[in-house]
Amino acid sequence: DTGVSQNPRHKITKRGQNVTFRCDPISEHNRLYWYRQTLGQGPEFLTYFQNEAQLEKSRLLSDRFSAERPKGSFSTLEIQRTEQGDSAMYLCASSLPGTGQETQYFGPGTRLLVL
Amino acid sequence: RKEVEQDPGPFNVPEGATVAFNCTYSNSASQSFFWYRQDCRKEPKLLMSVYSSGNEDGRFTAQLNRASQYISLLIRDSKLSDSATYLCVDSGYSTLTFGKGTMLLVSP
């Protein structure tokens, strides 16, 4: 399967713990995005990378959140001192910018539950 | 700040019906739009792009009305498998702004 992959698929943690999620984009895609989706809402943009550079961060990305893409391939999203409000689906997407409209392809997501 | 508004539904239609969804967008400078489909507890998947000239793909037709800042999706001859949430998306330079989605339920 050459699509976007995410691990773990599910994570249950206690409030105050740190969690880290991983995203592996489609291999030739140089852009990678993180979104968060809660029940009844559309995905909300968190941050994106072009190669290893983090080019944009949403104000939703509090200082407890950090994302990295050290070698321009896979990315990690870490949440420190988790809160119950962090419970959501965390989606990763990748794209290959070019001419015309840029299509983002989504991974299956990591579903986080903070108890 | 870009916003995309959609009627959350659900739209309940029988098989074979034609159904249409609209969404409105706030950023008059926006150039690119998409419709994504999302099944329950799954990731969004691209359904189709939206062009000013309209875009048709089989039973699906998307239209963009820049003057009124709305986008439409028409589904003809609905199938049971069309049941899903349809997300309207404003594509900026690098990020996507999603609406909350419109739920479609197609019944036998």
Side-chain angles (χ1 to χ4, degrees):
Chain A
D1 185 353
T2 56
V4 178
S5 62
Q6 292 187 245
N7 287 288
R9 296 291 306 276
H10 300 88
K11 179 70 177 178
I12 300 174
T13 191
K14 293 182 179 179
R15 190 175 50 190
Q17 296 295 306
N18 299 344
V19 294
T20 300
F21 310 142
R22 175 177 170 130
C23 171
D24 288 87
I26 294 171
S27 59
E28 64 269 25
H29 286 186
N30 60 355
R31 283 193 180 169
L32 186 149
Y33 309 79
W34 286 99
Y35 292 84
R36 181 177 72 184
Q37 186 174 24
T38 53
L39 197 62
Q41 304 293 316
E44 297 173 292
F45 169 75
L46 293 177
T47 188
Y48 95 95
F49 294 83
Q50 178 149 318
N51 299 313
E52 64 276 7
Q54 188 172 17
L55 296 187
E56 190 172 341
K57 292 193 287 187
S58 161
R59 63 178 184 273
L60 291 176
L61 208 70
S62 77
D63 56 7
R64 295 185 298 105
F65 288 69
S66 63
E68 294 182 345
R69 195 183 183 197
K71 298 182 180 178
S73 56
F74 73 91
S75 175
T76 57
L77 177 69
E78 181 183 17
I79 309 174
Q80 295 181 326
R81 305 180 302 281
T82 53
E83 302 173 355
Q84 288 182 324
D86 297 331
S87 296
M89 170 85 94
Y90 289 83
L91 290 160
C92 176
S94 70
S95 70
L96 182 64
T99 58
Q101 289 184 316
E102 176 184 330
T103 300
Q104 295 185 21
Y105 297 89
F106 284 82
T110 295
R111 193 172 294 276
L112 173 66
L113 177 61
V114 182
L115 301 176
Chain B
R1 180 174 173 225
K2 292 193 298 184
E3 292 185 349
V4 176
E5 300 289 338
Q6 294 184 253
D7 180 343
F11 284 58
N12 289 282
V13 302
E15 267 186 297
T18 295
V19 61
F21 311 135
N22 287 336
C23 89
T24 59
Y25 61 94
S26 63
N27 185 359
S28 59
S30 292
Q31 297 291 316
S32 301
F33 303 91
F34 299 100
W35 284 100
Y36 275 73
R37 170 196 168 125
Q38 187 170 29
D39 294 291
C40 188
R41 303 181 70 82
K42 300 286 189 181
E43 73 273 22
K45 292 187 178 178
L46 179 67
L47 180 64
M48 60 197 311
S49 303
V50 185
Y51 304 123
S52 295
S53 56
N55 188 15
E56 185 171 325
D57 183 4
R59 299 182 293 109
F60 298 84
T61 301
Q63 295 277 358
L64 168 61
N65 184 317
R66 290 194 188 277
S68 302
Q69 292 183 214
Y70 79 81
I71 303 144
S72 64
L73 177 68
L74 180 77
I75 305 174
R76 291 179 295 276
D77 189 22
S78 300
K79 311 292 184 189
L80 294 176
S81 58
D82 294 335
S83 296
T85 295
Y86 290 83
L87 298 162
C88 179
V89 183
D90 179 347
S91 174
Y93 170 69
S94 55
T95 63
L96 303 179
T97 300
F98 286 83
K100 293 182 180 182
T102 298
M103 182 180 291
L104 172 65
L105 299 172
V106 182
S107 54

